[in-house]
Amino acid sequence: MGYWCCGARIQFSIRVAALLIFTFALSAFPMVADGSTVFSNQSGYRPFLEGGYGKSLVGMDRLNTFYVYALPGENILLGSSAMGVAEGDILFSRPDGTSGSCLSEYPGLPGLGRIHSLEEEQRGPSVSGGYTPCELEVDAQNSGLWKIVFVGPSPNSWKSSAAISITQPWIQAEDVFTIAAWDITVQGQGGAEKDGRYFAEHLPLSMGDPKAPLFLDLYVVTGDGYIYEVGYE
């Protein structure tokens, strides 16, 4: 089992749906915002994050789950291209056991946390040209590990987004369970971003087409601690 995380060293377990299924432990992408920008800085076609309920045909969860470590005084900034689109939402569970969602946390602002474009995705949260995040404040009671789940616009659907080039501007469809862009950023006091604060044990991705190429430079970490650099083409 691998872990996918952001920062200087990344490891993860990844499934590319529609067609290719494989497991990696990955590390090391420099980034400004954390999330789908890891992939938008690569070449090939865009991997869409799966945000659907139930199991795939091979028995794997179609719903993503991320774990975020945050300390008192820090903020967790969240964004998704599916936020507020149909049933699209971002769910969270606090370390104290309580839970909520961005829609319930900010009921009068359904578009808060929405990433509208490729430019906003690449610029990140709370900057000129970036997106306005769903912001979760971390107090002493909720210091520790948060659970984050990105839900797609139609989580009960089996329809995925159509394949597009990684550099092509995307449009978030309403009738799919996949998410074009997503972001998790931990922000410290004074606005400094904290790298290396989230991971996933399972990262479900869809390429949208079995012929869509995916090009990634990966570091594969084995269970006994060996690290291998792998170019996936």
Side-chain angles (χ1 to χ4, degrees):
M1 177 175 63
Y3 298 91
W4 190 92
C5 173
C6 59
R9 176 73 56 189
I10 308 173
Q11 307 176 69
F12 77 121
S13 172
I14 174 176
R15 176 168 63 88
V16 175
L19 327 142
L20 288 179
I21 298 179
F22 52 95
T23 302
F24 289 121
L26 160 71
S27 109
F29 287 106
M31 65 187 79
V32 177
D34 294 332
S36 55
T37 51
V38 168
F39 305 111
S40 66
N41 290 331
Q42 303 299 303
S43 60
Y45 277 63
R46 172 175 292 271
F48 293 88
L49 182 66
E50 294 189 355
Y53 301 137
K55 302 283 187 178
S56 72
L57 296 177
V58 294
M60 300 184 74
D61 288 332
R62 299 194 306 151
L63 194 64
N64 60 85
T65 301
F66 296 91
Y67 300 92
V68 183
Y69 180 71
L71 299 173
E74 296 179 339
N75 295 310
I76 301 173
L77 310 182
L78 303 171
S80 163
S81 58
M83 182 62 199
V85 178
E87 299 179 55
D89 201 353
I90 303 173
L91 314 180
F92 58 85
S93 297
R94 303 179 182 90
D96 67 2
T98 60
S99 59
S101 75
C102 287
L103 285 178
S104 63
E105 194 80 358
Y106 299 97
L109 300 168
L112 198 68
R114 173 86 181 273
I115 302 175
H116 294 87
S117 66
L118 177 63
E119 180 182 8
E120 288 189 358
E121 174 191 14
Q122 293 175 334
R123 289 184 177 271
S126 303
V127 298
S128 177
Y131 76 94
T132 302
C134 167
E135 187 169 337
L136 306 177
E137 297 182 358
V138 181
D139 56 23
Q141 184 178 359
N142 285 299
S143 174
L145 207 59
W146 292 60
K147 179 180 176 181
I148 307 295
V149 174
F150 295 92
V151 179
S154 297
N156 291 305
S157 168
W158 284 87
K159 183 178 180 181
S160 177
S161 302
I164 60 171
S165 166
I166 199 70
T167 58
Q168 181 179 341
W170 45 260
I171 297 176
Q172 177 63 62
E174 295 186 15
D175 59 345
V176 299
F177 71 96
T178 47
I179 300 165
W182 53 279
D183 178 59
I184 301 173
T185 297
V186 177
Q187 188 179 69
Q189 296 181 6
E193 292 185 14
K194 302 293 185 178
D195 292 332
R197 291 295 194 87
Y198 73 90
F199 67 91
E201 296 177 346
H202 166 67
L203 183 64
L205 299 174
S206 171
M207 298 304 298
D209 189 297
K211 296 181 181 179
L214 174 66
F215 299 97
L216 288 176
D217 293 323
L218 310 175
Y219 288 88
V220 178
V221 183
T222 65
D224 50 3
Y226 289 95
I227 301 174
Y228 297 88
E229 185 176 1
V230 177
Y232 182 80
E233 298 182 2

